[in-house]
Amino acid sequence: MLFNSLPFLFGFLPIGLLVFYFLGNRNQLFASSWLVLLSIFFYGWWNPHFIVLLLASVVLNYSTGYFINREHSKARGHARLFLIMGITIDLGLLAYYKYAAFLVDSAGALLGFSVHIDHIPLPLGISFFTFTQIAFLVDVYQKKAREFNFTLYLLFVTYFPHLIAGPILHHSQMMPQFAEKKTYKPDWFNLSAGWTIFTIGLAKKVLVADYFSGIASPAFGALGHGVGLSALDSWIGALCYTLQLYFDFSGYCDMAIGLSLMFNVRLPINFNSPYKAANIIDFWRRWHMTLSAFLRDYLYFSLGGNRKGPTRRYVNLFLTMLLGGLWHGAGWTFVIWGMLHGIYLMINHGFRTVAGKLGWNTDGSGVWRFTAWLLTFFAVVIAWVFFRADSLASAINMLHGMAGAHGLVGNISVFSKTERGQGAIAIVFGLLVVWMLPNSQQFMNDGRLYLETVQPAQGWASRLVWHPAWRFTPLLFGLLLALCLLMAPTHVSEFLYYQF
């Protein structure tokens, strides 16, 4: 079931809220159990067969966490052994469903043999609920998580606003909220603010991201047929996908936070204007923030971080991003995307080291900051080409086009003159929105809505903030919702991160 579908908006969500608060006024356990059933139904809407896999994963990790915690109390406990076993099984399931065909095909191509593996359907959200539970096991091992209420743990993993595309949650963030009595009582401020945030996200997806998808898809689709795009068409295609992915994932993050807030549960911020970043380090502090934190805390630090010298530090950065690329998908395009960001981070950290020794002020003039931002944005766009392309050949073909290898305008185009013009105008407006306007959490400007502290917008953008006392707020966002429903296509499009 999709957040932007009519069954969800007019069936699942209102029924889910009404029953949740009806039960919450009577029995907290009944209400939390209803939310678990609601989440499992949400997950099973696509393919009921994978409910068994999801529940088996939950039971396995809950049991493993219980044994890790029990072994800590013994003089010669085997907590580390249980941790290794749990993580190995988690990664083994992920590898089977997500990487088996890719690994066999790649090995066959390398060694010169051909082995066919039937297509293995990828369970939705397997990367997210696997990483969430790996974090849980590590937290139990490090004695950061001790509570073992199975119903609440089941809710923690299956909680539908985050289940399919994140954010990656931590036990310590969610369990106290699920245990509070006030979570199960209607809060009209949270309902109003949550619906506002959800509507903003819905508008980003339906009105903006899906529009850019209609321009980017023909450009990347042509690459698969060997068409050499002109520089103009290539840049239109690449920039439209850059904006499509931004508004698609940003919209999903807003919708997840808004939905959860309507159930009185705050989620961590997962998206914070990444295209405003002036370096690639800052970009990864802003893009998919919970994944970045997971890779840093559970992979980069486990590899040694920066504790074993500069050379090992750069190797660890590269390996972390390489595996981060593989996490997104089983394909060489994702491997190259991860490698590029690993190289970017190595260069960024290396430059900072050299600049520090030479006494350069990397936070200097406006010209310096603008140049740094432009270079960062350009590097990100180049990497997105590999992220989107169906093959390495298609990605290289697109880069050739962007470099002008097929001419500036070209004789063959996937766009008409009108479409080119509309695409160029849309890109300009999209980039202005991304760079100039406050993001969703800055617009809401209320610390009660998020787990983290929100940095307020600066300058004139600080005037564009939401206030629940606005007289026309219900009318304004009601009209925005109506516009989304009116403009939504007959076929409701999935979010891009649903495929990961």
Side-chain angles (χ1 to χ4, degrees), residues 110 122-123 197 219 221 249:
L110 181 64
L122 180 65
I197 298 171
F249 190 43

Side-chain angles (χ1 to χ4, degrees), residues 86-393:
I87 293 178
T88 300
I89 294 173
D90 283 335
L91 293 180
L93 286 173
L94 185 62
Y96 170 75
Y97 281 103
K98 196 166 184 177
Y99 303 109
F102 169 68
L103 292 174
V104 170
D105 290 345
S106 298
L110 181 64
L111 300 176
F113 64 85
S114 177
V115 177
H116 175 71
I117 291 184
D118 292 335
H119 173 69
I120 302 174
L122 180 65
L124 282 167
I126 187 171
S127 298
F128 289 96
F129 67 72
T130 298
F131 273 29
T132 293
Q133 295 189 99
I134 288 176
F136 166 73
L137 294 181
V138 175
D139 287 348
V140 173
Y141 179 77
Q142 296 177 346
K143 300 182 179 180
K144 297 177 182 177
R146 292 178 178 272
E147 181 183 5
F148 289 97
N149 179 312
F150 181 72
T151 301
L152 294 186
Y153 178 78
L154 184 57
L155 178 56
F156 160 64
V157 177
T158 63
Y159 187 48
F160 78 89
H162 92 101
L163 178 59
I164 306 300
I168 297 172
L169 302 178
H170 286 271
H171 184 274
S172 60
Q173 294 172 323
M174 307 305 295
M175 297 303 256
Q177 297 189 79
F178 291 143
E180 287 184 354
K181 291 183 179 180
K182 66 179 183 180
T183 299
Y184 302 90
K185 309 296 181 182
D187 184 314
W188 298 109
F189 174 79
N190 283 348
L191 284 167
S192 173
W195 182 250
T196 301
I197 298 171
F198 177 85
T199 304
I200 292 171
L202 181 66
K204 287 180 180 179
K205 168 62 175 171
V206 174
L207 303 181
V208 185
D210 287 351
Y211 176 82
F212 282 117
S213 173
I215 303 174
S217 294
F220 280 92
L223 299 174
H225 295 91
V227 176
L229 300 180
S230 67
L232 180 59
D233 286 356
S234 297
W235 277 101
I236 287 176
L239 289 174
C240 280
Y241 179 71
T242 297
L243 290 168
Q244 177 199 352
L245 185 56
Y246 181 98
F247 286 104
D248 190 282
F249 190 43
S250 172
Y252 172 84
C253 292
D254 288 341
M255 294 168 82
I257 286 175
L259 285 170
S260 187
L261 193 61
M262 284 188 262
F263 289 90
N264 291 327
V265 176
R266 295 183 298 164
L267 293 182
I269 296 171
N270 206 25
F271 198 90
N272 186 23
S273 300
Y275 292 168
K276 293 179 181 178
N279 57 69
I280 209 68
I281 297 172
D282 191 34
F283 173 84
W284 277 105
R285 290 173 181 156
R286 294 167 173 265
W287 179 275
H288 209 328
M289 297 158 66
T290 58
L291 174 63
S292 299
F294 180 93
L295 293 175
R296 179 196 65 209
D297 296 341
Y298 298 100
L299 183 56
Y300 175 70
F301 288 158
S302 297
L303 291 171
N306 59 0
R307 301 188 303 273
K308 298 184 179 182
T311 301
R312 181 65 179 273
R313 177 194 192 184
Y314 294 131
V315 171
N316 292 340
L317 281 170
F318 182 80
L319 289 176
T320 298
M321 294 312 301
L322 174 63
L323 293 173
L326 268 174
W327 177 88
H328 282 84
W332 286 108
T333 53
F334 292 107
V335 172
I336 298 298
W337 176 79
M339 290 173 62
L340 282 174
H341 275 279
I343 294 170
Y344 293 164
L345 286 171
M346 292 166 63
I347 294 172
N348 197 174
H349 281 281
F351 175 78
R352 284 191 167 189
T353 300
V354 172
K357 291 180 178 179
L358 296 177
W360 293 352
N361 180 15
T362 55
D363 296 321
S365 67
V367 174
W368 178 281
R369 290 194 299 272
F370 176 79
T371 303
W373 162 81
L374 187 62
L375 181 61
T376 301
F377 183 72
F378 176 78
V380 168
V381 172
I382 296 301
W384 283 145
V385 170
F386 288 92
F387 195 85
R388 171 59 178 85
D390 296 330
S391 65
L392 289 179

